[in-house]
Amino acid sequence: MSTRPALSAPTTLRHARILGLGAYRPERVVTNEEIIQHIDSSDEWIRQRSGIVTRRFAREDETVVDMAEAASRQALERAGIETGQVDAVIMATVTHPFQTPAAAPVLAHRLGMEDPAAFDISAACAGYCYAIAQANDMIRAGSADTVLVVGVEKLSDFTDKHDRGSAFIFGDGAGAAVVGVADRPGIGPTIWGSLGERADAITQRESWTDLRPAMETSGRAEPLHWPAFTMQGQTVFRWAVFSMAPVARRAVEAAGITPADLDAFVPHQANMRITDAMVKALELPEHVPVARDIAETGNTSAASIPLAMSRMLEEGEAPHGGLALQIGFGAGLVYAAQVVEMP
């Protein structure tokens, strides 16, 4: 009887942390006055409803890979990491306009990486936190030493400017994090999950395959509509307010700390009213600064958390090396939260 050989595998887990952050905001600033040219609304209504004053839109010829490249180069420089040291690239996005190839391998090539693992994930506004969790697990298990995580969206490509419920919310941008090996825990346990029964709360209006019959039918009476994203605002608001605070609390507890130990709270920049409600539900101490990047950047989905954290660090609102609670939630419905040590 032959003896089956045993497979080799890492025997000990390592620690990981974020080594550097990068951010990219497109040049074009879009005011509420420009948005209301296409919807029945007002600057005051948008501010009261969402907290958004301006947002950024990318140029027509500016792609998610372009924005991701700018954010990634900044993150790598700040982390002191050469492109050749990166073992894997994870890109969180729902607005890369190609089913295949993924954006991550294209980005890796742009950055001059020779042969990294590279893939995209689709977890909408929770995508960055999902990708941080994956990068942490890869490093802890030994399948990578350095991982580039990017959250990037060009939501202006998939926003119906005439949709009063969503036209004022979304913006474009990219945020990147370099995650590497550490001598102490720098990323806490991730609390995540999904509620697929509520998939229609935030969704693409039509599937790509639904467009084929319409495009192939000549002389159609009805115009062909672009499959923009739609959202049931009140449904999402109630879910985020009442369901996400307990998730955030569990992430803090899983990290072995209390809210008073936090140096920053960086929620997904979905809506200022949602953020305010979560702060109240968490009973967050007044000394903990809260990210409110949405006022000037809008909701940038997977890019919102790294963009917001980068701003807090750059402006001195949050301390380098401090502990931050980050939580993303959105279409799926999906969510993820973890406590991280800021770079």
Side-chain angles (χ1 to χ4, degrees), residues 132-334:
I132 289 292
Q134 290 183 322
N136 180 55
D137 290 348
M138 290 167 69
I139 289 169
R140 282 178 57 76
S143 60
D145 291 331
T146 308
V147 181
L148 174 65
V149 170
V150 184
V152 57
E153 303 290 7
K154 190 180 180 183
L155 285 157
S156 58
D157 274 350
F158 293 89
T159 300
D160 182 350
K161 65 181 180 181
H162 301 290
D163 181 0
R164 188 173 185 269
S166 63
F168 64 93
I169 295 174
F170 299 119
D172 303 336
V178 178
V179 182
V181 178
D183 58 3
R184 62 187 183 279
I187 300 172
T190 298
I191 306 300
W192 50 0
S194 65
L195 294 88
E197 68 271 19
R198 297 186 182 179
D200 61 343
I202 310 173
T203 187
Q204 186 171 308
R205 192 157 48 194
E206 294 92 14
S207 74
W208 297 115
T209 53
D210 287 340
L211 292 181
R212 175 180 283 179
M215 294 177 69
E216 292 178 347
T217 302
S218 59
R220 57 181 178 273
E222 296 295 325
L224 184 64
H225 294 288
W226 179 248
F229 297 151
T230 62
M231 179 169 63
Q232 299 173 17
Q234 286 302 313
T235 298
V236 175
F237 182 86
R238 287 192 296 269
W239 169 68
V241 167
F242 295 108
S243 300
M244 291 301 98
V247 171
R249 193 176 298 112
R250 287 168 56 200
V252 171
E253 293 171 354
I257 63 172
T258 69
D261 296 317
L262 292 170
D263 298 292
F265 177 41
V266 191
H268 163 49
Q269 302 295 286
N271 183 300
M272 198 79 81
R273 292 163 61 208
I274 291 175
T275 296
D276 291 339
M278 290 181 67
V279 168
K280 183 177 180 180
L282 280 168
E283 299 180 343
L284 204 65
E286 290 186 6
H287 72 267
V288 179
V290 179
R292 300 187 183 279
D293 189 46
I294 189 172
E296 298 178 17
T297 309
N299 180 339
T300 55
S301 186
S304 77
I305 290 174
L307 280 173
M309 186 178 289
S310 292
R311 182 189 289 274
M312 294 183 82
L313 291 171
E314 288 167 5
E315 297 183 354
E317 188 177 3
H320 292 278
L323 297 178
L325 167 63
Q326 57 185 32
I327 179 170
F329 46 87
L333 294 171
V334 298

